Amino acid sequence: MSTDTELSVQVRGVERRFGALRVLRGVDLDVPGGKLVALYGPSGSGKTTLINLIGALDRPDAGAITVLGQDILRMSEAQRARLRRTRIAFIFQSATLLPTYSALENIDLALRLPGLGYFERKRRARAALQAVGLLPWADHMPEELSGGQRQRIAIARALALQTPLVLADEPTNGLDTATTRRILALFRGIAASEGTTFLIVSHDPLVAEYVDTVYDLLDGKVVLRQAVPPTRAAENQKEDAHV
């Protein structure tokens, strides 16, 4: 489990090019364990590229990336796959649910990857659906759910894995304000109780109200915007306990 003094993610001098386009130009980023960190930037700035590099879905052209104490660029593809399967949960911009499986079954499938037993999978899947307010929709198929509900299922799927690191790319996409606040308060509660680290890529200004640190990705580099005052985070958490 991470502690506040440990870094879940450390990025140093990372560069990424796509042909002649230089997207990341020497990025440095520290993400402390058990904290919520937000990364903002205009469309096309490289936010998703950076989160894919941190999640071992891609490799940089230069630089170093340490995730949960491991130098992921020195790992074999098999080791990187195992890291993704057992220690990192992803929330993507689109829900990416399998259309022929129910909400509960979509979560259950993800829980099979780390080798969890049947009863533990069912327990976690139902608890995650309850946490995002969708347990009554457990047996519904994706086509029977709204876009916002499908996104909440995707969030539940990631949280059910109970990994030490969650990489979230626009997790509040398609959610109304009240639901967004509920989900962000849920993230804060999990970080506080479980020591889970959340790196959240977003355009949503509400996210900045709930995280510990905000960065902006501008001109291919990450710049610290501000540290969110603890009093504001505490007030948000207290208010949203009633949402």
Side-chain angles (χ1 to χ4, degrees):
M1 182 176 294
S2 300
T3 67
D4 291 352
T5 58
E6 297 174 340
L7 290 177
S8 286
V9 176
Q10 184 179 65
V11 176
R12 290 292 180 268
V14 162
E15 299 184 8
R16 187 70 174 100
R17 302 177 186 86
F18 295 96
L21 180 62
R22 192 180 176 196
V23 178
L24 302 179
R25 303 167 178 257
V27 167
D28 294 327
L29 176 66
D30 289 339
V31 181
K35 298 294 185 180
L36 281 76
V37 172
L39 180 63
Y40 285 84
S43 297
S45 61
K47 302 185 303 297
T48 297
T49 296
L50 179 56
I51 210 170
N52 286 343
L53 291 170
I54 292 169
L57 295 170
D58 189 15
R59 287 183 178 271
D61 296 299
I65 304 175
T66 302
V67 176
L68 301 172
Q70 300 183 69
D71 182 347
I72 63 172
L73 302 184
R74 293 181 178 272
M75 301 170 73
S76 67
E77 285 304 322
Q79 290 171 326
R80 288 160 63 89
R82 178 172 176 76
L83 178 71
R84 292 192 300 267
R85 188 169 63 248
T86 61
R87 307 204 71 200
I88 303 174
F90 297 87
I91 302 172
F92 297 104
Q93 290 188 41
S94 58
T96 62
L97 301 179
L98 293 176
T100 57
Y101 289 81
S102 69
L104 187 71
E105 289 169 339
N106 265 278
I107 299 174
D108 179 77
L109 282 171
L111 295 176
R112 294 185 186 191
L113 293 175
L116 297 175
Y118 174 82
F119 292 107
E120 178 64 9
R121 296 199 313 268
K122 295 301 181 187
R123 184 191 69 78
R124 288 196 192 187
R126 292 181 64 83
L129 285 172
Q130 180 69 45
V132 300
L134 287 178
L135 185 56
W137 285 265
D139 295 325
H140 284 60
M141 307 301 284
E143 65 179 12
E144 300 173 316
L145 303 172
S146 69
Q149 287 174 323
R150 289 195 294 270
Q151 185 65 8
R152 285 153 69 190
I153 298 299
I155 291 170
R157 179 177 58 192
L159 298 181
L161 289 166
Q162 298 181 8
T163 57
L165 175 63
V166 176
L167 301 178
D169 193 353
E170 300 286 359
T172 60
N173 183 40
L175 303 184
D176 60 46
T177 299
T179 304
T180 292
R181 290 188 177 279
R182 173 176 180 164
I183 293 299
L184 293 172
L186 175 62
F187 287 176
R188 284 204 65 86
I190 292 171
S193 63
E194 305 296 332
T196 304
T197 305
F198 290 82
L199 177 56
I200 304 170
V201 166
S202 185
H203 287 98
D204 189 342
L206 276 179
V207 172
E209 298 181 16
Y210 286 78
V211 301
D212 300 290
T213 310
V214 178
Y215 289 96
D216 291 292
L217 182 54
L218 302 170
D219 298 321
K221 293 191 175 183
V222 167
V223 180
L224 177 65
R225 183 194 299 181
Q226 65 181 18
V228 178
T231 52
R232 187 199 301 175
E235 288 170 0
N236 283 333
Q237 196 168 9
K238 181 177 179 180
E239 290 173 3
D240 293 311
H242 303 290
V243 174

